[in-house]
Amino acid sequence: MKTYLQTAEEVLNELNSDSNGLSQKEANERLEKNGKNKLKRARKDSLAKRLYNQLRDPMIVILIVAAIISGITAAYSRESFADVVIIMVVVMINSVLGVYQESKAEKAIEALQAIAANTSRVLRDGSIEEIKTEDLVVGDVILLEAGDSVPADARLLESASLKIEEAALTGESVPVSKVITALNLGDQKSISLGDRKNMVYMGSTAVYGRGSAIVVATGMDTEMGKIADAITQAKENQTPLQIKLNQLSQVLSWLVLGICVFIFALSLVRIYLGEGITGIGVLNIFMVAVSLAVAAIPEGLAAVVTIVLSIGVTNMAKEKAVIRKLTAVETLGCTQVICSDKTGTLTQNKMTVVDYFGFDEQLLGQAMTLCNDAYLNDDNKAEGEPTEAALVDYGFSLGLEKQVLENKMPRVMEAPFDSGRKLMSTGHKMATGAFIQYTKGAPDVLISRCTTYWDGKTQQQLTDTIRQEIRHANQGLAAKALRVLAAASRNWDALPEEVAPNNLEQELCFIGLTGMIDPIRPEVKDAIVECKSAGIRPIMITGDHPDTAMAIAAQLDIIRDKSEAITGARLDEISEEQLKQDIVKYSVYARVQPEHKVRIVKAWQNQGMIVAMTGDGVNDAPSIKTADIGIGMGITGTDVTKNVADMVLADDNFATIVNAVEEGRRIYDNIRKAIQFLLSSNLSEVLAIFIATLFGFTILKPVHLLWINLITDSFPAIALGMEAEEADTMKNPPRESHEGIFSRGLGVDVIWQGAMVAIVTIIAYFVGHFIEAGIWEIAESPDGMTMAFLTLSMAEMFHSLNMRSRRQSIFKMSHQNKFLFLAMVASLVLTTAVIFIPPIAAAFEFEAISFIEYFTAMGLAVVVIPIVEIVKFFQRKSARKQLIA
Ligand code: ATP
């Protein structure tokens, strides 16, 4: 039987449930039997497929071809297969590491998704519980309110003006009003999804009102599940830096290929004219071309960036900033403006009523308690949305128990709160049979709907003088940084035909005002100071009254002067053009509607600024989407906003945003350090090979370069990614969002540092040859090659120390990087091992060098530290000069 044709009772009976929900025991059993409420994920690639993907890399293909060719020649000339074995081993290690890193990064992202996973409110054993959406079972009674994602397919039991947006399923973008009555087939065979007004479906969202429903299908049995195969999972997009690096790699690869072909052809001509072409001769020059390719292509770059990013997001999640889109990590570091909600983000959202205005406090308490969705728990503490809970607590302090009141005057109609209208109304049946409506909301809005007021005994005409007095009281409370809410009433002999808010919320009788404190979060003050020193502008956007907003903004040092605040109403009067110019003047926006937020973001973006914006309510989704960094609230945020956000704050805290920016800057800086390290290393190898080829000697073989690039260099590069932030990370203005990889001197640094390492490597070669042969000359030299290899690897290792900071002296760094220390030890051990363990050394064609040679090579390598220190010193000096000039 189709549940939309049945009455609610019939459905409850059929599914062995009741309006109190399932028992926990029953729910567990059903979960065990029917499985989780999850859509099946697209199947992941198999291990073999992943390995194959790694091997498809053009670089690896070149290497495999090289291995095959040297294998064939080795077979013909009966030489050893050492090269082939080493190339294949390095390729395999590299591919396995690649697969491992990839799956680790993927797991990090999955773990984040799990943290950000949605929860649902259900009735279990008659009480409201928040459970993981995947633990929902058929028969569960779920509660829905504006902003919730519908977690499963369900038949409605209760609907208070509930409206659902079902575009994902039906394509219809206008929200559908929901009912609870059974539908009639009429002469149709079935009713289409979009017309089943008493049903809600997984994948749609509640945008207005509230309701409850009984789950009729979960997981793959839902309508969404039926089309799940058609939904391809969105691929994690690459960050701008990753895209730029890929482009760079591609350009480099082609360039290198060109140079290799050129050198190959040139050498071919050379030997043709000289000793004549032989198999061995061609193989040799082919191997030189391959070494150049190996030397020039930064194989580890992409992997290092991915690893550093994924480690970064994992750390950020531990610090309560959950990244939902990887691109956000980079953008965070460029953030120039942070637009933040007030309530809950700058303040604690722990409301307590501390003051009131009115002529009948008892009635005020009654109105505030009844027109309210919070409730008293068994310990007589209010639970629910903090503003509402504070009012229920307030009522209780006056001796009014919410449940007792509600039993006496049951709710029979309601117009739910929304932040556009800033009001909420409920209607209650009284013992007399007549009805009373209570409305609460923003005082300025509510007072304009009042025509009378309650003077403690009777209803009186609201004169201008009284109106003025109320406004005055409101301002007085707001100036004390209190959040002020007003309450009013209206009598009905019979329930109105139309429960539309507009119809209800007029001709009201004013009852009173409550003022509640919402203390600022203590850590936010420091965060704002840090923001400012980091060149980031903090901005408060709130639905609250301007006086309250300004009082809090002043406490937090967000504004100094009243002229920096503006209201939503004023904003409406300003033209788009005007706003674009004036936007920099304002730091506080009060009494705004969610729509204003989009205008504010766009105006800032128009100034070329990178804007972060927080949001929690249903209507905040557009502004979160528009912002460069859309921030959802983990605690108070609705599913809708969390789903479109780039980052979700697990603690709703402004200070967490600033920490995330800091972390974003650190990660970006570190990636640049790793890039500089790897590129300068590649360049040094290219230069060394190039010069050696020009002068006709072999300085390093392809397998040597492979070893350095793929094995010993990658550990320090990753370790640089874990470097702690530098002392001035939050003292500089944000970087330009469009800056290229080589900006801020990185290109120049790569070139001279590459040249530096190349020079010490070549010197090492000649020193090696001199120690071996006792003569300075250009010649093939096994000792020279061994020393060049040792010097190059060790210079890289010492250079990774240099790269801990691009400009600061490494002797002034206050913290240690234990990962880098371990990576350096690993490099040292591996390099020494390949040189001194006889069978490996033989395979690499290394000569057993003496201790004198060993330490000479080390001595040459360590020179890179003082050289870089001296250059950094002058770089700092010139930067200071520029600053003064
Ligand atoms: P922020 O935008 O900083 O989160 P806010 O909570 O004041 O601040 P909204 O939730 O949009 O923003 O609320 C706007 C106004 O509506 C509030 O200032 C208050 O006057 C009124 N209001 C808030 N919650 C309720 C409620 N549950 N019932 C009635 N009125 C409310």
Side-chain angles (χ1 to χ4, degrees):
M1 182 73 181
K2 290 164 177 139
T3 46
Y4 53 85
L5 301 177
Q6 293 172 300
T7 64
E9 278 79 54
E10 282 167 348
V11 181
L12 283 170
N13 278 337
E14 194 171 305
L15 298 176
N16 281 328
S17 185
D18 65 52
S19 53
N20 279 329
L22 298 171
S23 69
Q24 191 61 50
K25 187 165 157 279
E26 176 68 22
N28 289 345
E29 280 168 17
R30 290 190 187 191
L31 187 65
E32 191 67 29
K33 205 165 116 216
N34 299 323
K36 298 242 176 201
N37 176 33
K38 269 202 303 202
L39 296 182
K40 281 208 187 74
R41 296 268 189 129
R43 275 238 330 265
K44 283 193 193 147
D45 285 346
S46 67
L47 194 66
K49 178 94 192 289
R50 284 160 167 244
L51 265 175
Y52 168 72
N53 282 342
Q54 293 279 333
L55 295 177
R56 261 181 4 176
D57 187 273
M59 173 63 218
I60 301 289
V61 174
I62 296 182
L63 286 176
I64 294 176
V65 170
I68 294 173
I69 294 184
S70 37
I72 296 172
T73 1
Y76 266 106
S77 55
R78 292 169 201 272
E79 285 190 4
S80 93
F81 283 91
D83 271 7
V84 186
V85 174
I86 296 176
I87 296 180
M88 291 322 282
V89 166
V90 171
V91 164
M92 276 333 285
I93 294 182
N94 191 251
S95 305
V96 170
L97 277 182
V99 170
Y100 171 73
Q101 286 157 354
E102 220 173 59
S103 59
K104 218 176 144 191
E106 217 167 73
K107 284 219 183 83
I109 305 278
E110 269 174 28
L112 292 182
Q113 281 168 349
I115 300 177
N118 289 336
T119 54
S120 306
R121 284 179 311 136
V122 297
L123 285 179
R124 292 263 170 97
D125 295 313
S127 58
I128 302 173
E129 283 186 30
E130 182 138 352
I131 62 162
K132 279 201 211 135
T133 294
E134 59 175 34
D135 291 341
L136 277 178
V137 294
V138 170
D140 261 329
V141 174
I142 51 173
L143 303 178
L144 291 171
E145 62 181 33
D148 287 346
S149 299
V150 177
D153 290 0
R155 165 72 163 85
L156 283 165
L157 301 175
E158 196 191 346
S159 164
S161 316
L162 186 65
K163 285 189 190 163
I164 305 276
E165 202 251 302
E166 299 178 332
L169 280 160
T170 61
E172 172 59 62
S173 61
V174 180
V176 185
S177 293
K178 292 292 175 177
V179 298
I180 55 170
T181 46
L183 300 183
N184 233 323
L185 262 187
D187 46 11
Q188 302 159 307
K189 282 219 176 69
S190 76
I191 298 177
S192 72
L193 216 60
D195 292 328
R196 297 180 198 163
K197 298 222 158 153
N198 55 11
M199 298 288 294
V200 290
Y201 293 100
M202 180 197 260
S204 51
T205 26
V207 292
Y208 186 78
R210 57 177 192 89
S212 66
I214 172 165
V215 174
V216 298
T218 61
M220 291 306 281
D221 298 333
T222 60
E223 295 297 324
M224 200 64 170
K226 288 179 196 156
I227 55 170
D229 285 340
I231 308 167
T232 42
Q233 269 192 333
K235 263 215 149 158
E236 193 60 44
N237 18 358
Q238 289 197 308
T239 72
L241 186 66
Q242 284 178 313
I243 295 170
K244 278 184 216 154
L245 280 175
N246 281 346
Q247 287 164 348
L248 177 74
S249 296
Q250 250 163 26
V251 172
L252 276 182
S253 304
W254 285 113
L255 204 72
V256 168
L257 211 67
I259 298 176
C260 291
V261 170
F262 176 73
I263 291 227
F264 187 69
L266 196 77
S267 314
L268 214 58
V269 171
R270 211 199 254 166
I271 60 166
Y272 175 71
L273 297 177
E275 63 244 41
I277 294 192
T278 60
I280 293 292
V282 174
L283 178 73
N284 276 340
I285 54 172
F286 174 73
M287 284 320 244
V288 170
V290 170
S291 9
L292 216 77
V294 172
I297 299 176
E299 298 86 0
L301 212 55
V304 167
V305 174
T306 313
I307 297 170
V308 174
L309 279 174
S310 69
I311 295 174
V313 294
T314 312
N315 284 343
M316 287 167 91
K318 283 186 201 137
E319 300 290 321
K320 309 250 188 281
V322 181
I323 298 290
R324 295 192 66 253
K325 294 184 190 129
L326 210 50
T327 46
V329 182
E330 266 173 50
T331 324
L332 266 172
C334 315
T335 306
Q336 292 163 303
V337 179
I338 303 178
C339 298
S340 168
D341 281 340
K342 169 179 71 70
T343 313
T345 313
L346 296 170
T347 65
Q348 298 180 11
N349 209 4
K350 286 194 185 126
M351 314 268 181
T352 321
V353 176
V354 290
D355 210 344
Y356 83 99
F357 167 84
F359 307 101
D360 185 346
E361 193 180 6
Q362 203 68 21
L363 183 63
L364 179 62
Q366 171 161 323
M368 291 293 194
T369 307
L370 280 174
C371 179
N372 197 315
D373 288 329
Y375 56 93
L376 283 174
N377 66 15
D378 298 341
D379 303 326
N380 284 330
K381 288 265 169 307
E383 279 185 34
E385 197 271 317
T387 304
E388 305 231 304
L391 293 168
V392 169
D393 279 332
Y394 171 62
F396 188 70
S397 74
L398 297 173
L400 303 165
E401 223 174 297
K402 164 121 187 193
Q403 276 84 333
V404 175
L405 274 187
E406 206 147 60
N407 288 343
K408 263 203 306 209
M409 304 169 73
R411 190 189 286 191
V412 286
M413 65 172 186
E414 65 186 88
F417 171 72
D418 90 74
S419 53
R421 211 167 91 243
K422 299 185 170 44
L423 296 175
M424 162 174 179
S425 301
T426 54
H428 303 264
K429 186 169 183 172
M430 295 188 291
T432 57
F435 300 89
I436 183 141
Q437 168 196 332
Y438 288 120
T439 300
K440 77 174 192 306
D444 27 343
V445 183
L446 194 96
I447 295 167
S448 68
R449 311 285 178 96
C450 292
T451 46
T452 56
Y453 76 101
W454 184 252
D455 74 353
K457 293 186 194 81
T458 53
Q459 207 163 315
Q460 300 282 345
Q461 213 52 36
L462 191 59
T463 59
D464 281 349
T465 330
I466 300 286
R467 214 180 268 273
Q468 208 47 44
E469 193 182 333
I470 299 171
R471 291 227 159 92
H472 196 72
N474 180 26
Q475 275 165 5
L477 294 171
K480 287 192 268 179
L482 299 181
R483 179 178 174 83
V484 192
L485 242 58
S489 65
R490 183 172 181 181
N491 293 304
W492 298 90
D493 291 332
L495 279 181
E497 294 258 306
E498 208 193 336
V499 193
N502 254 341
N503 195 28
L504 300 181
E505 289 157 357
Q506 46 178 308
E507 290 172 35
L508 301 177
C509 170
F510 176 83
I511 300 173
L513 305 172
T514 53
M516 37 189 124
I517 44 164
D518 178 15
I520 53 178
R521 287 176 178 267
E523 61 279 21
V524 165
K525 234 179 154 156
D526 289 339
I528 298 238
V529 172
E530 193 171 15
C531 252
K532 288 184 173 170
S533 83
I536 301 166
R537 171 100 174 248
I539 285 177
M540 174 196 281
I541 302 183
T542 176
D544 216 335
H545 192 274
D547 289 345
T548 312
M550 276 192 287
I552 292 177
Q555 284 176 19
L556 286 172
D557 237 357
I558 292 178
I559 53 168
R560 255 167 284 147
D561 190 85
K562 267 191 169 175
S563 66
E564 292 167 58
I566 182 169
T567 61
R570 224 2 237 122
L571 215 52
D572 284 332
E573 295 162 11
I574 300 181
S575 72
E576 221 54 46
E577 278 313 304
Q578 192 66 32
L579 183 63
K580 279 177 191 165
Q581 283 173 23
D582 289 355
I583 189 85
V584 289
K585 290 189 198 158
Y586 306 117
S587 291
V588 169
Y589 298 83
R591 277 286 185 258
V592 291
Q593 321 273 14
E595 307 82 75
H596 291 128
K597 291 183 161 188
V598 179
R599 278 190 75 194
I600 298 169
V601 173
K602 285 198 172 150
W604 273 112
Q605 284 173 334
N606 200 59
Q607 298 263 344
M609 295 290 189
I610 301 293
V611 188
M613 163 79 82
T614 68
D616 46 11
V618 217
N619 307 328
D620 287 338
S623 58
I624 290 193
K625 261 196 210 157
T626 313
D628 300 283
I629 298 277
I631 306 172
M633 295 297 156
I635 304 172
T636 55
T638 50
D639 297 343
V640 191
T641 49
K642 281 192 242 180
N643 288 341
V644 296
D646 300 295
M647 174 168 97
V648 173
L649 303 179
D651 59 356
D652 288 12
N653 190 343
F654 180 83
T656 304
I657 308 178
V658 182
N659 288 342
V661 168
E662 191 170 344
E663 188 64 11
R665 287 186 179 193
R666 182 186 74 89
I667 293 173
Y668 191 83
D669 284 349
N670 287 350
I671 290 180
R672 274 170 61 90
K673 290 172 190 171
I675 292 176
Q676 182 173 338
F677 171 70
L678 288 175
L679 287 185
S680 64
S681 155
N682 283 67
L683 183 65
S684 66
E685 292 161 17
V686 174
L687 287 175
I689 301 276
F690 200 78
I691 293 171
T693 320
L694 227 54
F695 289 96
F697 64 94
T698 317
I699 189 164
L700 292 161
K701 304 206 148 213
V703 288
H704 302 158
L705 297 170
L706 262 186
W707 182 260
I708 295 177
N709 282 3
L710 294 183
I711 312 291
T712 54
D713 262 6
S714 42
F715 298 118
I718 295 173
L720 282 173
M722 322 257 210
E723 193 61 48
E725 74 181 66
E726 293 192 37
D728 61 354
T729 302
M730 287 302 268
K731 300 219 165 68
N732 291 323
R735 67 164 204 278
E736 289 288 326
S737 58
H738 297 298
E739 74 166 32
I741 298 175
F742 296 113
S743 63
R744 287 186 279 151
L746 196 141
V748 177
D749 285 349
V750 165
I751 291 172
W752 77 259
Q753 290 170 359
M756 166 185 74
V757 176
I759 292 169
V760 292
T761 306
I762 292 171
I763 294 177
Y765 181 87
F766 285 110
V767 171
H769 181 57
F770 179 77
I771 296 178
E772 180 192 21
I775 166 170
W776 295 102
E777 59 167 357
I778 295 175
E780 293 290 344
S781 163
D783 276 36
M785 203 165 74
T786 311
M787 272 188 65
F789 173 79
L790 183 59
T791 307
L792 178 60
S793 335
M794 292 300 105
E796 290 303 339
M797 183 192 81
F798 290 123
H799 190 44
S800 68
L801 260 186
N802 284 331
M803 284 299 51
R804 291 193 59 200
S805 172
R806 288 196 56 233
R807 293 288 178 261
Q808 286 312 309
S809 163
I810 54 165
F811 300 108
K812 290 235 172 91
M813 305 204 77
S814 54
H815 42 77
Q816 297 309 319
N817 180 346
K818 64 169 188 278
F819 301 104
L820 187 63
F821 180 72
L822 288 176
M824 287 175 66
V825 171
S827 284
L828 180 70
V829 170
L830 283 170
T831 309
T832 312
V834 289
I835 290 181
F836 286 113
I837 297 179
I840 309 179
F844 276 86
E845 296 180 42
F846 286 138
E847 205 62 18
I849 52 170
S850 65
F851 274 107
I852 296 190
E853 286 172 297
Y854 183 83
F855 285 108
T856 311
M858 282 286 180
L860 276 167
V862 87
V863 164
V864 301
I865 292 185
I867 297 179
V868 174
E869 280 295 318
I870 293 170
V871 178
K872 278 184 185 173
F873 174 77
F874 286 109
Q875 282 173 328
R876 286 196 299 269
K877 229 175 146 174
S878 96
R880 234 175 324 205
K881 248 196 215 142
Q882 269 176 8
L883 212 66
I884 295 165

